[in-house]
Amino acid sequence: MASLITCPHCGVRPKEEFAVRGDASLIRPASSASDAAWHDYVYVRVNPRGRTLEHWHHVAGCRRFLVVERDTVTHEVYSVVDGAAAAREVRR
């Protein structure tokens, strides 16, 4: 059985239509941050086991960026939200 992702714009679609773009929980440092802080932001990543937030791009559909909450062990998807809506929530 194929893994399915529910795109908020296109409905249920196979995971092959999407590209994972990375960790959605990173917080960009201020422009005045140290070189070490920028180095860590750009190059240092954890490889979490379990529930995580990721940026996914619906490349073969609406071409929107999404934030997907999923388990990296079981690959179960818990939620999918539009990336722009998620960014607005973070700014509040």
Side-chain angles (χ1 to χ4, degrees), residues 2-73:
S3 296
L4 301 173
I5 304 292
T6 303
C7 175
H9 306 285
C10 304
V12 178
R13 309 299 303 164
K15 72 172 175 45
E16 291 78 16
E17 288 190 4
F18 299 86
V20 180
R21 296 295 182 202
D23 188 353
S25 65
L26 294 175
I27 298 173
R28 183 183 176 102
S31 59
S32 60
S34 69
D35 288 345
W38 276 101
H39 176 273
D40 289 350
Y41 173 74
V42 173
Y43 297 109
V44 178
R45 296 286 186 266
V46 295
N47 189 11
R49 182 176 173 89
R51 253 176 143 145
T52 187
L53 292 174
E54 298 171 321
H55 288 291
W56 286 44
H57 186 210
H58 195 177
V59 294
C62 60
R63 305 197 53 81
R64 299 290 303 240
F65 281 91
L66 310 171
V67 175
V68 176
E69 181 181 13
R70 73 176 184 100
D71 191 300
T72 59
V73 176

